[in-house]
Amino acid sequence: MTIFQLIQKPQMRGAEMFAAQLATELTAKGHHVLLISLFPGDSQLPFLGQHILLNRPQHKRWNDLEGWRNLAKLIEQYQPDVIQCNAGDTLKFAVLSKLTNRWKTPIIARNASMVSAYITNPITKWINRFLYRKTKAIISVSQLSAQDINQLFPETKSKTSVIPVGINLPNLQPVSWQNSPKSEINLIHVGGFSFEKNHVGLFSIFQKFLKEKPNSHLHLLGDGPLRKEMEEKITQLGLQNAVTFYGFTSQVMDYIHQADVLLLPSIIEGLPGVLLEAMYAETPVVAYNVGGISEIVFPNETGYLLEKGDEAGFVKAILDAVQTANTSVIVKNAKELVVEKFNNSYLAMRFEQVYKSVLHDKN
C-alpha cells in the first residue's frame, strides 16, 4: 500500500511522534509511507523515509486553496491507497482539499483525545460533524475517547475502532540531570506547556510533596505556549532552585528511566504515550484518571491512579511510589504490559487491518 500520514507540523508532540514512529513501522512492513507536514516546524521527527513539508500558513486554515491543490497534486503523483489524518487541523485540510479538488482517496481520522472537551458550541459541533462524515474510518486512541466521539456524533459509531498509541522499545542510556543539585528524589513531568497538562496543579502538588521530602527536584521536559508563564510562576512560588526546565530533548526516555517517579496530573488526555514510555523504562507513574489513562494504569498493579483534583492523594501516591516495596512489582507488571500490547510493531499490524478493511469496502 501507499499511505499518506498527515501531521500538523514537525514538532515533538505525542500525535506527531507516534505518526512518525507508525510510518517507520509500516515502511518496515513493505508499505510506501509519506509523512506530510502541513505547517512549518523545526523539529526532527524520528522518520527516515520521505517527509514532505508543505509549509502552509496557519492563518489560512479556511481558505488555503493553494495548499489544498498542493495536496491534490501529491495524491495525483503518488496515488495513495489511504490518507490518515493525525490530530489537529489535518482532517479539516484533507476534507477541504478533497471537496475542492475532487480526489477519491479514502480519509481515515485519528482521534487522539476527548473531542467533547474542545467542541463546545453548536457551530463547532456542526463543522466537526461534517468533517467526520467525510471519513471512511475513525481510529480512536482509547475506549473512552471512542465512547466520547460516538456520544457526540452517534453516526460515527459504525466506523470507529480503537488502537492505542504505542512506543518503540529502545535500549536506555544513563544521563545526567541538568542544572540541579544532587537530590534524594527526582520527579519528572514530560509534556507540552498547555492548559491540558495542568502545570499549575503540578506545581501545587510538588509544593505539598516538598513538605514531606524537602530534598526533591522536579524536572520538566517539553515546550509550548505557556512555558514562559510557568517559568514566572515557579519564580513567584520560590521554587526555582527545585525545578529545572529542559525544553525539548531527544533523550526523553533516558531521563524518564533516571527518575524516581513520573507525574501526570493532566485535566484532559487521550492515551498519553509518555506513560507507556515510563512503564517501559520501569519508572513508576502517578496520574489523574482522565481520558484513557485507566486503560493502562491499573491502581497498585501497573501504577498509581487518582481522581482529578485530588492533590493530597497524589502526594501520598508519590510517597508510596518511592517508599513501598510493592513498587518493584508494579513497575514489572507495567513493563510486561507495554512490551506485550503497546509496542509499535504490533500496533502497525492493527493499523494495516483497518486500512485493508477500508479498501475492501471501497471495492
Side-chain angles (χ1 to χ4, degrees):
M1 281 184 284
T2 298
I3 303 161
F4 279 10
Q5 293 284 344
L6 266 59
I7 61 172
Q8 192 174 38
K9 63 182 179 179
Q11 59 181 336
M12 307 302 278
R13 188 181 69 158
E16 284 77 12
M17 287 289 290
F18 180 69
Q21 292 169 354
L22 176 61
T24 298
E25 293 293 339
L26 291 168
T27 300
K29 294 182 183 301
H31 302 293
H32 182 202
V33 185
L34 290 86
L35 190 66
I36 301 174
S37 295
L38 305 186
F39 309 128
D42 54 10
S43 296
Q44 185 66 44
L45 290 168
F47 179 58
L48 299 179
Q50 192 169 0
H51 186 179
I52 296 174
L53 307 173
L54 294 181
N55 289 325
R56 303 310 307 159
Q58 288 186 257
H59 68 275
K60 294 185 69 175
R61 286 181 173 91
W62 289 105
N63 61 344
D64 192 2
L65 291 171
E66 181 182 352
W68 304 337
R69 278 196 300 269
N70 289 346
L71 179 59
K73 289 176 183 177
L74 290 175
I75 291 168
E76 183 179 1
Q77 178 180 356
Y78 292 101
Q79 296 293 308
D81 295 286
V82 294
I83 297 176
Q84 181 169 315
C85 300
N86 295 282
D89 292 303
T90 57
L91 178 59
K92 183 194 308 175
F93 193 93
V95 169
L96 293 176
S97 174
K98 187 170 189 174
L99 291 174
T100 55
N101 295 278
R102 300 184 181 280
W103 44 265
K104 303 298 184 183
T105 309
I107 295 173
I108 296 171
R110 179 70 162 151
N111 170 31
S113 189
M114 304 292 286
V115 294
S116 65
Y118 302 95
I119 301 173
T120 56
N121 66 66
I123 295 175
T124 306
K125 186 175 182 180
W126 182 89
I127 291 170
N128 280 272
R129 170 172 276 122
F130 174 79
L131 295 175
Y132 283 118
R133 281 178 175 168
K134 299 302 179 180
T135 65
K136 289 294 184 181
I138 299 169
I139 304 176
S140 285
V141 77
S142 69
Q143 295 291 343
L144 204 60
S145 64
Q147 293 171 13
D148 179 65
I149 194 172
N150 294 160
Q151 288 175 357
L152 195 62
F153 306 117
E155 63 272 26
T156 63
K157 189 171 183 179
S158 63
K159 57 183 175 181
T160 300
S161 58
V162 176
I163 305 178
V165 295
I167 62 168
N168 295 332
L169 307 180
N171 295 319
L172 301 171
Q173 305 296 325
V175 289
S176 298
W177 296 117
Q178 297 179 12
N179 305 321
S180 62
K182 186 174 181 180
S183 302
E184 177 189 359
I185 298 172
N186 288 289
L187 307 176
I188 193 168
H189 177 273
V190 180
F193 286 85
S194 59
F195 83 96
E196 299 98 330
K197 298 300 180 182
N198 187 29
H199 284 86
V200 172
L202 173 65
F203 300 158
S204 177
I205 289 167
F206 183 55
Q207 277 189 300
K208 293 179 174 68
F209 184 77
L210 284 174
K211 294 178 182 178
E212 304 291 335
K213 295 288 184 180
N215 188 20
S216 300
H217 202 93
L218 177 62
H219 305 267
L220 302 174
L221 277 63
D223 212 334
L226 298 181
R227 176 173 172 174
K228 189 174 187 299
E229 181 181 334
M230 292 303 107
E231 289 175 337
E232 293 171 353
K233 181 71 173 177
I234 285 298
T235 301
Q236 293 169 8
L237 295 172
L239 295 176
Q240 57 269 35
N241 293 328
V243 177
T244 300
F245 291 78
Y246 286 68
F248 287 123
T249 172
S250 61
Q251 295 180 288
V252 170
M253 286 187 69
D254 295 328
Y255 279 111
I256 292 173
H257 181 59
Q258 196 90 343
D260 294 293
V261 188
L262 180 131
L263 315 181
L264 197 70
S266 301
I267 55 175
I268 301 173
E269 284 288 358
L271 187 73
V274 67
L275 290 182
L276 298 172
E277 292 175 335
M279 292 160 77
Y280 176 74
E282 299 182 82
T283 298
V285 300
V286 182
Y288 279 154
N289 183 12
V290 296
I293 290 178
S294 63
E295 295 171 29
I296 56 173
V297 179
F298 311 130
N300 299 315
E301 291 184 28
T302 62
Y304 299 85
L305 196 63
L306 291 306
E307 292 308 309
K308 184 168 64 175
D310 183 6
E311 294 187 355
F314 208 103
V315 172
K316 182 180 183 303
I318 303 171
L319 289 169
D320 288 345
V322 297
Q323 292 178 163
T324 64
N326 191 45
T327 296
S328 61
V329 177
I330 288 174
V331 295
K332 179 177 180 291
N333 293 340
K335 183 171 184 176
E336 289 176 352
L337 176 67
V338 171
V339 170
E340 180 182 353
K341 295 184 177 180
F342 294 92
N343 73 80
N344 282 334
S345 180
Y346 166 71
L347 294 177
M349 292 189 293
R350 296 184 59 189
F351 277 91
E352 277 184 313
Q353 292 170 357
V354 174
Y355 301 158
K356 289 175 181 177
S357 68
V358 166
L359 293 177
H360 180 268
D361 291 343
K362 177 184 173 183
N363 296 330

